[in-house]
Amino acid sequence: MKKSERQKALKREDGVDFISSMPDAILLSILSRLSSTEETIRSSVLSRRWRYLWTAVPSIDIHYGGKVKENEFKEFMYWVFVNKSVDLNTFRLSCSNYYSMSTVWRWIHAAVTRNVKKLALTFFPKQYNEDIEMPHCLVSCDSLEELELYFSGRGLRLPDIKVFPALRVLDLTCVDLLEDDDLVKHFLESCLLLEDLSLDYCIINKLNLFSISCPKLKKLTIYNGDEDLGLCGGIKVSCPQLVHMDITGYIAIDFFFESLDSLKEAVIDPKFEENTNTKSVLFPGISHVESLHIDFYFFSQCIKAAACDPSLPNLKTLELTTTIDAFTFDKFIRTLNYYPKVESLELVIKQQFYGPEEWQLHEDDKRRIMTPDLESVEFFEFKGEKPKLDLVWLEITCLEMFFSWG
């Protein structure tokens, strides 16, 4: 079909194009899928039908990179909020360090007055030592359900009042939580509806004990791959409804887990020197876990120091990560003896082994690994950044396990 014929096919008899004749709900759905508010506003030039349609899109998504004069961008932001005719489901703003804190908070206040449900803010003051204090209008917002903050390592001064009455998801990236243990603990406890907490590359090394006690928290993720950010004294997690927990990287030396009665899946992979003595307490806090991915050296220390039975009666899947230097087969077997009901076992070696090209387990070693419930065993070796699967699936009746290194 020729281009002119296609254009005619998209028009009704009264001359209105097919898309513009669609109901507002469909057009708004189309506009809401555009990548930014700027693109949404550009749709107003299409026809008279589209001129004010963008004002009814329940989201604002703006990234300022300095290409427009600062005063012009301020006027644009004011114009956007003035013309918005509906409450906001989402407000995303990325303005780095181009504007003062007071200016950014005015825009946040405008979003709050429109009952924003999700707020994602990328912002940091020009002065690195200038801390950020969230405005009262934000922490008391009764419509806000999701909050994402990226502060590029700047300090966040937490309020000492009850906060975020409706917040369910809190995602902090590159945020310095400063040094007040009690204030951080009180802040999280006051988020009564919080279900999902994520801290990515956050600075917590000034805390003696980072305590997380949220009555409705279901998912907890803490990750730090930067050794230079340091370790906090310890982390204590006490969340009775927690189902999924992932704590990985340079976080702390000591970990204390209590009352995790709903925990099903856990990743506990702390990074610190292998001669470090941890006082961590895993048991009986994680006793209900069904799938566990954990550092082998750390796990062995916790089992050895356990003041109670270190068994995990519900454990079905166990993945142990280690290095050759920290691994001994006898210690490996002693660890497995505590968990005879494990059905799937994985051993991940995160370091190249400079030894024989092939090492095969002896028959006695094979029998020591297998239990009546074990259905599969997998051994992995990491070479550089790309993992190589050395052993895939082993049947109990035909067991030939071996490592091979190229």
Side-chain angles (χ1 to χ4, degrees):
M1 184 181 293
K2 295 180 180 179
K3 183 177 180 180
S4 59
E5 293 176 344
R6 289 199 303 269
Q7 290 174 338
K8 290 180 180 179
L10 291 173
K11 287 189 175 182
R12 303 186 315 186
E13 293 182 359
D14 56 6
V16 178
D17 66 89
F18 175 72
I19 295 179
S20 294
S21 66
M22 291 180 176
D24 283 358
I26 295 179
L27 297 181
L28 290 173
S29 178
I30 294 173
L31 290 178
S32 66
R33 285 168 169 76
L34 297 180
S35 60
S36 68
T37 296
E38 291 96 322
E39 289 190 5
T40 305
I41 294 174
R42 291 191 189 106
S43 69
S44 63
V45 304
L46 296 177
S47 69
R48 184 178 300 175
R49 172 80 166 80
W50 292 77
R51 183 170 301 172
Y52 299 106
L53 202 58
W54 71 271
T55 65
V57 176
S59 64
I60 296 177
D61 191 338
I62 295 178
H63 175 84
Y64 179 70
K67 295 182 179 180
V68 181
K69 292 182 178 179
E70 292 186 15
N71 285 335
E72 292 180 0
F73 182 75
K74 282 184 180 181
E75 293 175 359
F76 170 74
M77 289 292 294
Y78 174 77
W79 180 77
V80 168
F81 278 113
V82 166
N83 284 279
K84 276 292 177 182
S85 59
V86 294
D87 286 345
L88 291 176
N89 288 335
T90 304
F91 178 40
R92 293 183 179 275
L93 174 63
S94 176
C95 59
S96 300
N97 61 351
Y98 289 101
Y99 292 96
S100 66
M101 202 180 308
S102 60
T103 297
V104 173
W105 291 156
R106 281 198 295 270
W107 294 333
I108 298 299
H109 181 267
V112 169
T113 60
R114 284 159 180 77
N115 299 313
V116 63
K117 292 182 179 179
K118 179 177 180 178
L119 173 63
L121 175 63
T122 296
F123 162 72
F124 44 93
K126 291 183 178 180
Q127 300 298 323
Y128 193 84
N129 59 355
E130 183 179 358
D131 297 332
I132 299 172
E133 185 173 353
M134 289 185 289
H136 183 269
C137 70
L138 179 61
V139 299
S140 61
C141 179
D142 58 8
S143 65
L144 189 65
E145 298 179 1
E146 299 183 38
L147 178 62
E148 299 176 6
L149 299 176
Y150 175 90
F151 285 164
S152 191
R154 305 305 195 270
L156 173 61
R157 295 207 169 275
L158 299 172
D160 58 358
I161 60 173
K162 289 188 176 181
V163 295
F164 300 118
L167 193 67
R168 295 184 299 101
V169 179
L170 178 59
D171 188 337
L172 303 179
T173 303
C174 296
V175 174
D176 187 344
L177 294 181
L178 301 177
E179 70 281 351
D180 195 326
D181 294 15
D182 292 335
L183 193 56
V184 173
K185 181 176 183 290
H186 172 74
F187 171 80
L188 292 175
E189 287 177 344
S190 66
C191 298
L192 298 178
L193 300 183
L194 191 64
E195 297 180 358
D196 189 337
L197 174 62
S198 177
L199 291 88
D200 198 18
Y201 285 95
C202 287
I203 302 171
I204 57 176
N205 62 354
K206 302 181 185 71
L207 300 175
N208 294 314
L209 181 64
F210 181 21
S211 182
I212 302 172
S213 180
C214 304
K216 292 187 178 297
L217 195 68
K218 296 180 180 178
K219 183 178 180 181
L220 172 64
T221 305
I222 305 177
Y223 176 77
N224 175 29
D226 186 353
E227 185 177 5
D228 293 337
L229 293 182
L231 307 174
C232 75
I235 287 184
K236 179 180 178 181
V237 181
S238 179
C239 304
Q241 294 192 30
L242 191 66
V243 177
H244 176 87
M245 179 175 65
D246 188 336
I247 300 178
T248 301
Y250 301 94
I251 310 296
I253 295 176
D254 299 325
F255 298 82
F256 307 95
F257 302 108
E258 298 178 357
S259 304
L260 304 183
D261 300 336
S262 303
L263 189 66
K264 300 299 181 185
E265 183 177 3
V267 178
I268 307 172
D269 196 1
K271 307 298 181 188
F272 44 70
E273 294 182 3
E274 290 179 354
N275 59 357
T276 301
N277 291 319
T278 179
K279 299 177 183 178
S280 299
V281 178
L282 295 186
F283 314 100
I286 66 167
S287 62
H288 296 275
V289 72
E290 297 178 2
S291 174
L292 178 62
H293 172 130
I294 193 166
D295 178 80
F296 176 61
Y297 175 79
F298 173 76
F299 196 34
S300 301
Q301 279 196 312
C302 292
I303 292 174
K304 184 178 181 180
C308 62
D309 183 3
S311 63
L312 301 171
N314 299 329
L315 189 64
K316 297 293 188 294
T317 300
L318 177 61
E319 181 176 334
L320 300 171
T321 61
T322 186
T323 63
I324 287 295
D325 295 337
F327 178 80
T328 65
F329 195 78
D330 286 340
K331 188 183 294 185
F332 178 58
I333 293 299
R334 286 198 300 270
T335 300
L336 294 185
N337 287 338
Y338 286 104
Y339 311 107
K341 296 297 182 180
V342 166
E343 297 176 358
S344 177
L345 170 65
E346 294 182 8
L347 177 63
V348 179
I349 301 177
K350 298 185 291 185
Q351 177 177 309
Q352 186 170 354
F353 176 68
Y354 298 97
E357 293 187 357
E358 182 174 292
W359 174 70
Q360 187 166 344
L361 293 181
H362 298 293
E363 291 297 327
D364 290 343
D365 292 334
K366 298 174 187 178
R367 286 191 290 269
R368 292 168 71 192
I369 288 178
M370 301 310 295
T371 68
D373 295 288
L374 192 62
E375 297 177 355
S376 66
V377 181
E378 297 183 9
F379 290 85
F380 294 81
E381 180 203 4
F382 282 5
K383 291 186 176 181
E385 296 181 354
K386 296 182 178 180
K388 175 186 176 184
L389 179 62
D390 288 316
L391 183 76
V392 184
W393 183 268
L394 298 176
E395 297 291 340
I396 296 178
T397 55
C398 182
L399 182 61
E400 289 295 332
M401 297 182 295
F402 60 89
F403 289 110
S404 64
W405 288 271

